[in-house]
Amino acid sequence: MRTVLLASVFALTAGSAFAQSTTSANPAVLTPERVFANPSLNGPVAQGVSLSPDGDLVAFLRAREDDVSVLDLWAAPTGAGEPFKLIDARALVPDAGELSEAEKARRERMRISQRGVVEYSWDEQGRYILAPLEGDIFLASREGGEIRRLTETEADEVDAKVSPEGNYVSFVRDQDLVVMNLSSGAEQAITTDGEGLITWATAEFIAQEEMDRDTGYWWSPNEKFIALQRTDESTVDIVPRLDITGGGASVIEQRYPRAGRPNAVVELYVQDVAANRRVKVDLGTNTDIYLARVNWSKDGGTLYVQRQSRDQKTLDLLAVDPATGASRVIATQTSNAWVPLSHDFKPLEDGTFIWSSQESGWKHLYLYGPDGRQIRAITHGDYPVKSLNGVNTETGDVYFTASMRDGEEYPIEQQLFRASLNRTVEPVAVTPQGGWWSASVNRTGTAYVGNYTDLTTPMRSGLYQADGTFVRWIEENALDADHPFAPYVSRRPATEFGTLESHGETLVWQMSKPVDFDPSKTYPVVMEVYGGPSGGGVRRGWQKSTTQLLTEAGYIVFRLDNRGEGDRSAAFKEALYLKMGQPEIEDQVRGAEYLRSLPYVDDARIAMMGWSYGGFMSLMALTEPEMGLASAIAGAPPTEWSLYDTHYTERFMSTPEANAEGYAASDAIPRLDNLTGRLLLMHGMADDNVILENSTRVIDALQVKSIPFELMLYPGQRHGVRGNERQLQQWRTYLDFLDRTIGSRAPSAD
């Protein structure tokens, strides 16, 4: 099998005619103070872009110029006319109060760090846009532009939705599901016993954090039924967690399902809204399962449920009768490692459906009959489909994104492609090569919003016809003289890409060098890392401003996507199965060896930095003699995998009882005697994901061993450091530490 990747190292300079025209004798040097200030250096980037169901309007979120931490809701006509602000968050709620603990946790799970309008939804008719705002709900009407406040209560209304035909608004309040009639304003309590450890219509911790499922209820297309989950957390262990802020500390009795321990018990019901009657869905006799995905057929006559086994090696598709709750398995996917979840399930009008599978060794799309039997492959080849983006049932066109050139994988770029429902054909590229595309296709598959970036282009959004014809900009974000980044563009570093071979796999890497790079000199290197199962970090797209902070400080910045990281083949992803922290470090060692083979790299001044799984990787690398790191920054690191949650950890490592050897090999504590350089450890003191115990056990062990290290803790911060002020402090700390360990103030510096 041949894989088309980057056959050789090549450089792409992040320059342009504009960059050259703005170069001066004294170009502006990017500073941390400017990076973490308003307005954002990324420019006006549209977030959460979606087309109205009728295709006449595009809605999107945009950060305020005076405060990038607050989002407003904007809209733009798909024809003539300029974008306009639909909901001004500060005008509607000038003084945002404190969010409830439940909403804070939900936003943490969704990685929402901003305030204001952070999410919204259309009704299926395109008449309304529903926008939760600071715990209450607002409804914007297309006709007349009226904004109606639907709730104003002390409790937070969360996960609000407009029903498909636009007659109701539903939301969760105080752990119960409530439906509001939009005509009368009357509320109907669908459930009433949600309290304590019982929660209705809300995705449980595991679903939100690890399964990419943020909701716990689903309207049928005809508004007759609502499928909703009931969660009982009484089986889950209490893990006392200190929530330490600058004003004191409190103990949170967090229900946290650690690897090998019991999960919450999740049940699924179907509510007949008009009859006010509820039936329980038969999910089988084994309650130790995961409710993975829930979808309705187009006519609302069948509820489809994806049920995942606890060991995640089996994924069943159930067809459920919503009137009785009776179910039957119509399709099953299995794996010797794990079956990945996706959002690629799509029911069609004729009863068939599209579903993805990696049965071939690559993730591809397949068409299935109503009985669950596979009809044909829609896509095929030595590349993975990233996501199913849309379908035009009139033409049979199927739209999907993939990182592929000439039918084979090309990990550093992404495009939108078109295939066919009616026969297996070679896909046609809808968007051009050269960068990174994502797309939101409208319901009919006749148009899409395309988001594009490359090395010289900040993220921009446009409206396109289905064949790729440009219609209009939604947010052009032109890198012109008025762009916030304009003063710094001439010092933007060049970015090089290349490949390395490791254990039979081809790894991709990228490198950025200081603007005044001189190949006759030697430079220190910062290896940025995540390393865990993810979408991968090496891509031909607009680079983070923080990368330029590092090159301005005189560092070469290097990133390598190791095995297990990136949407690639099943074999590439499954290389870390039962042994996290081993193949990833082997590959990073290969990266360090490559760096040391370069004449302009100072062998003794290589550091690594990463957060979360990247923090774990930094600790593992700093304790690996073959890496030979001078220093490492480990942020919020999982340091012993039995302390982390079930669905994520068991997917890759099984349980601590079944894989004691693998868990022991990935524990950071026994490796600390092998530290090759200085450590900076960072952690949020209210982290409810990778709890602080992961770092305190390292702190304790290092102190017992009398090993010097540096520590930075963040009161009140959860799994990420939020806000310009704290992030500025964080990056000042990074740069100071790197300067003292591998930079101009390092003992080994010339």
Side-chain angles (χ1 to χ4, degrees):
M1 179 178 66
R2 183 174 63 89
T3 301
V4 176
L5 285 163
L6 303 172
S8 61
V9 179
F10 59 93
L12 286 169
T13 303
S16 63
F18 168 68
Q20 294 167 3
S21 68
T22 59
T23 302
S24 65
N26 297 297
V29 175
L30 190 62
T31 65
E33 291 74 20
R34 178 58 193 93
V35 171
F36 301 105
N38 300 315
S40 170
L41 287 174
N42 292 323
V45 175
Q47 303 178 44
V49 184
S50 67
L51 277 162
S52 62
D54 59 12
D56 291 338
L57 199 68
V58 179
F60 58 97
L61 303 175
R62 178 196 281 178
R64 299 178 69 93
E65 288 193 6
D66 60 345
D67 188 348
V68 295
S69 67
V70 177
L71 297 173
D72 294 322
L73 179 63
W74 285 68
T78 56
E82 294 302 312
F84 58 93
K85 189 180 295 187
L86 193 62
I87 294 182
D88 186 317
R90 281 189 174 160
L92 291 179
V93 185
D95 300 312
E98 188 75 9
L99 295 171
S100 68
E101 181 62 30
E103 179 63 2
K104 287 180 183 178
R106 180 174 179 269
R107 293 191 181 195
E108 183 70 20
R109 304 285 76 77
M110 296 173 70
R111 301 299 186 262
I112 295 174
S113 60
Q114 292 164 298
R115 297 291 295 265
V117 185
V118 297
E119 55 183 326
Y120 70 94
S121 60
W122 292 95
D123 72 307
E124 291 294 326
Q125 313 305 311
R127 293 179 295 173
Y128 307 112
I129 296 180
L130 187 71
L133 176 58
E134 306 301 350
D136 288 315
I137 304 171
F138 295 82
L139 188 71
S141 175
R142 282 274 301 277
E143 188 174 348
E146 176 192 3
I147 299 175
R148 177 181 166 192
R149 185 171 193 152
L150 300 182
T151 64
E152 191 169 6
T153 64
E154 291 186 7
D156 284 344
E157 284 83 24
V158 301
D159 197 12
K161 303 175 185 178
V162 186
S163 61
E165 295 182 357
N167 294 311
Y168 305 96
V169 164
S170 52
F171 50 84
V172 178
R173 178 197 289 151
D174 291 333
Q175 301 176 216
D176 281 309
L177 181 63
V178 179
V179 169
M180 175 186 289
N181 186 303
L182 279 178
S183 296
S184 66
E187 293 186 0
Q188 174 188 356
I190 300 298
T191 65
T192 57
D193 61 337
E195 62 178 351
L197 299 176
I198 303 299
T199 303
W200 284 96
T202 300
E204 74 277 21
F205 172 90
I206 283 297
Q208 293 181 39
E209 180 62 42
E210 307 300 358
M211 297 164 62
D212 197 23
R213 178 168 68 79
D214 301 318
T215 190
Y217 72 100
W218 304 263
W219 281 93
S220 66
N222 55 14
E223 296 188 347
K224 181 178 181 180
F225 299 113
I226 302 176
L228 69 163
Q229 78 173 76
R230 179 184 185 271
T231 305
D232 180 355
E233 288 191 296
S234 62
T235 54
V236 181
D237 294 339
I238 295 175
V239 178
R241 173 174 61 83
L242 271 179
D243 195 325
I244 304 172
T245 70
S250 59
V251 177
I252 305 295
E253 299 290 326
Q254 183 172 348
R255 296 278 173 168
Y256 190 97
R258 286 176 166 171
R261 300 295 299 156
N263 277 318
V265 175
V266 175
E267 298 171 333
L268 186 65
Y269 292 79
V270 176
Q271 177 85 16
D272 186 318
V273 178
N276 197 23
R277 183 176 64 90
R278 187 161 58 240
V279 297
K280 185 178 180 180
V281 173
D282 180 9
L283 296 179
T285 57
N286 182 9
T287 61
D288 194 15
I289 52 92
Y290 294 107
L291 178 65
R293 298 286 184 266
V294 178
N295 299 89
W296 285 95
S297 64
K298 284 293 185 180
D299 63 3
T302 302
L303 181 69
Y304 294 106
V305 178
Q306 293 181 44
R307 179 185 65 192
Q308 189 178 47
S309 61
R310 174 68 185 256
D311 65 8
Q312 301 179 57
K313 295 183 178 182
T314 302
L315 182 65
D316 292 320
L317 178 64
L318 281 62
V320 178
D321 181 347
T324 66
S327 68
R328 68 187 193 280
V329 177
I330 62 171
T332 298
Q333 297 182 17
T334 61
S335 170
N336 292 327
W338 70 87
V339 179
L341 301 179
S342 75
H343 294 286
D344 300 330
F345 183 85
K346 185 173 181 60
L348 303 175
E349 296 284 355
D350 62 359
T352 61
F353 58 88
I354 299 172
W355 199 19
S356 64
S357 167
Q358 61 176 29
E359 60 190 52
S360 69
W362 302 88
K363 179 184 169 187
H364 282 293
L365 301 174
Y366 298 86
L367 180 66
Y368 293 79
D371 59 0
R373 295 189 180 185
Q374 191 179 112
I375 297 174
R376 71 175 65 88
I378 296 173
T379 63
H380 68 103
D382 292 344
Y383 67 91
V385 168
K386 298 291 189 69
S387 64
L388 171 64
N389 294 78
V391 178
N392 185 326
T393 55
E394 294 295 322
T395 63
D397 291 329
V398 177
Y399 297 91
F400 66 96
T401 49
S403 294
M404 177 256 289
R405 279 191 179 185
D406 301 322
E408 298 184 350
E409 75 165 338
Y410 194 76
I412 68 171
E413 294 182 2
Q414 182 169 288
Q415 293 173 259
L416 181 67
F417 292 89
R418 184 178 68 248
S420 174
L421 271 178
N422 304 319
R423 58 193 183 281
T424 303
V425 298
E426 294 304 315
V428 175
V430 178
T431 58
Q433 298 176 353
W436 196 269
W437 286 89
S438 61
S440 174
V441 179
N442 69 348
R443 187 172 56 184
T444 57
T446 56
Y448 67 91
V449 173
N451 307 298
Y452 175 76
T453 179
D454 59 33
L455 290 174
T456 62
T457 309
M459 183 65 72
R460 64 188 185 190
S461 302
L463 178 65
Y464 300 81
Q465 295 177 7
D467 62 0
T469 301
F470 176 77
V471 177
R472 64 159 296 164
W473 290 116
I474 296 166
E475 199 72 272
E476 184 178 6
N477 198 12
L479 188 53
D480 56 23
D482 295 324
H483 195 279
F485 195 76
Y488 313 100
V489 72
S490 64
R491 292 183 62 85
R492 192 161 183 81
T495 301
E496 301 173 5
F497 296 88
T499 61
L500 295 173
E501 299 299 318
S502 179
H503 296 80
E505 295 285 359
T506 302
L507 315 177
V508 293
W509 58 258
Q510 67 182 51
M511 180 187 296
S512 299
K513 298 172 182 175
V515 68
D516 54 354
F517 176 75
D518 181 346
S520 67
K521 298 180 180 179
T522 59
Y523 293 84
V525 178
V526 176
M527 299 178 70
E528 289 190 320
V529 68
Y530 181 74
S534 71
V538 176
R539 60 182 58 177
R540 186 175 291 146
W542 185 252
Q543 300 297 300
K544 300 178 296 182
S545 296
T546 51
T547 298
Q548 191 161 338
L549 289 182
L550 293 170
T551 58
E552 290 286 16
Y555 304 112
I556 292 173
V557 182
F558 181 82
R559 175 151 190 162
L560 173 76
D561 283 354
N562 49 247
R563 282 172 293 161
E565 186 174 11
D567 294 321
R568 298 186 59 182
S569 70
F572 191 91
K573 292 184 289 187
E574 293 171 3
L576 52 65
Y577 184 57
L578 302 180
K579 50 186 178 181
M580 287 200 301
Q582 298 178 54
E584 308 98 293
I585 293 299
E586 291 170 356
D587 291 350
Q588 294 297 331
V589 166
R590 179 72 185 90
E593 291 172 347
Y594 170 71
L595 288 169
R596 290 191 172 96
S597 73
L598 303 174
Y600 48 80
V601 168
D602 188 328
D603 294 2
R605 294 195 292 164
I606 299 176
M608 181 175 283
M609 63 185 297
W611 199 272
S612 193
Y613 203 105
F616 164 70
M617 289 288 291
S618 289
L619 265 179
M620 297 294 283
L622 191 62
T623 55
E624 172 53 61
E626 290 188 46
M627 285 292 301
L629 295 180
S631 63
I633 301 169
T639 64
E640 207 284 299
W641 284 105
S642 66
L643 299 177
Y644 201 57
D645 67 49
T646 50
H647 194 272
Y648 185 93
T649 310
E650 293 173 13
R651 184 189 324 158
F652 310 118
M653 292 286 282
S654 186
T655 64
E657 294 74 23
N659 184 25
E661 182 179 352
Y663 277 79
S666 62
D667 187 347
I669 300 299
R671 303 169 58 95
L672 293 178
D673 286 330
N674 297 327
L675 284 169
T676 61
R678 299 286 295 190
L679 170 66
L680 169 58
L681 186 62
M682 292 179 153
H683 215 120
M685 299 182 80
D687 196 331
D688 61 351
N689 180 11
V690 179
I691 61 175
L692 186 57
E693 181 183 347
N694 282 274
S695 282
T696 56
R697 63 193 299 269
V698 173
I699 294 169
D700 180 66
L702 289 170
Q703 290 172 347
V704 168
K705 295 174 180 292
S706 301
I707 299 175
F709 67 101
E710 298 183 33
L711 177 68
M712 181 59 65
L713 299 175
Y714 288 92
Q717 299 299 291
R718 301 204 178 203
H719 194 48
V721 177
R722 312 296 190 194
N724 277 338
E725 295 81 4
R726 279 192 171 85
Q727 288 183 307
L728 173 58
Q729 189 278 342
Q730 180 184 25
W731 269 89
R732 283 172 170 169
T733 303
Y734 285 160
L735 293 169
D736 175 73
F737 176 78
L738 292 170
D739 193 26
R740 288 184 287 105
T741 58
I742 64 169
S744 62
R745 291 186 289 159
S748 60
D750 294 335

Coordinates of all heavy atoms in Angstrom, one line a residue, residues 240 296 431 442 451 493 498 558 572 620 663:
P240 N -13.7 13.7 46.0 CA -13.7 15.1 46.6 C -12.6 15.9 45.9 O -11.5 15.5 45.7 CB -13.3 14.9 48.1 CG -13.7 13.4 48.3 CD -13.4 12.7 47.1
W296 N -33.6 10.6 14.7 CA -34.9 10.2 14.2 C -34.9 10.0 12.7 O -34.1 10.7 12.0 CB -35.9 11.4 14.5 CG -36.3 11.5 16.0 CD1 -35.7 12.3 16.9 CD2 -37.3 10.8 16.6 NE1 -36.3 12.1 18.2 CE2 -37.4 11.2 18.0 CE3 -38.3 9.8 16.2 CZ2 -38.3 10.7 18.9 CZ3 -39.2 9.3 17.1 CH2 -39.2 9.7 18.5
T431 N -13.6 22.0 -3.3 CA -12.8 23.2 -3.0 C -11.4 22.9 -3.5 O -11.0 21.8 -3.6 CB -12.8 23.4 -1.5 OG1 -12.3 22.2 -0.8 CG2 -14.2 23.8 -0.9
N442 N -25.9 23.3 3.4 CA -27.3 23.5 3.8 C -28.1 22.2 3.7 O -27.7 21.2 3.2 CB -28.0 24.7 2.9 CG -28.1 24.3 1.5 OD1 -27.6 23.3 1.0 ND2 -28.9 25.1 0.8
N451 N -15.2 27.6 5.2 CA -14.3 28.3 6.0 C -12.9 27.8 5.6 O -12.6 26.6 5.5 CB -14.5 27.9 7.5 CG -15.9 28.2 8.0 OD1 -16.4 29.3 7.9 ND2 -16.6 27.1 8.4
P493 N 7.0 34.1 10.7 CA 8.1 33.1 10.3 C 7.6 32.2 9.2 O 6.4 32.0 9.0 CB 8.3 32.3 11.6 CG 7.0 32.4 12.3 CD 6.5 33.7 12.1
G498 N 7.5 18.5 6.5 CA 8.2 17.3 6.1 C 7.7 16.0 6.7 O 6.7 16.0 7.4
F558 N 9.0 23.4 16.6 CA 8.8 22.1 15.9 C 7.6 21.4 16.4 O 7.4 21.3 17.6 CB 10.1 21.3 16.0 CG 10.1 20.0 15.3 CD1 10.4 19.9 13.9 CD2 9.8 18.8 16.0 CE1 10.5 18.7 13.3 CE2 9.8 17.6 15.3 CZ 10.2 17.5 13.9
F572 N -2.8 3.4 12.2 CA -2.1 4.5 12.8 C -2.6 5.0 14.1 O -1.9 5.2 15.1 CB -2.1 5.7 11.8 CG -1.2 6.8 12.1 CD1 0.1 6.9 11.5 CD2 -1.5 7.9 12.9 CE1 1.0 7.9 11.8 CE2 -0.7 8.9 13.2 CZ 0.6 8.9 12.6
M620 N 6.6 12.7 30.2 CA 7.1 11.4 29.7 C 8.4 11.6 28.9 O 9.4 10.9 29.0 CB 6.1 10.6 28.8 CG 4.8 10.2 29.5 SD 5.1 9.0 30.8 CE 5.3 7.5 29.8
Y663 N -0.8 0.4 32.4 CA -1.0 1.5 33.3 C 0.3 1.8 34.0 O 0.6 3.0 34.2 CB -2.1 1.2 34.3 CG -3.5 1.4 33.7 CD1 -4.2 0.6 32.9 CD2 -4.2 2.6 34.1 CE1 -5.4 0.8 32.4 CE2 -5.5 2.9 33.6 CZ -6.1 1.9 32.7 OH -7.4 2.2 32.2

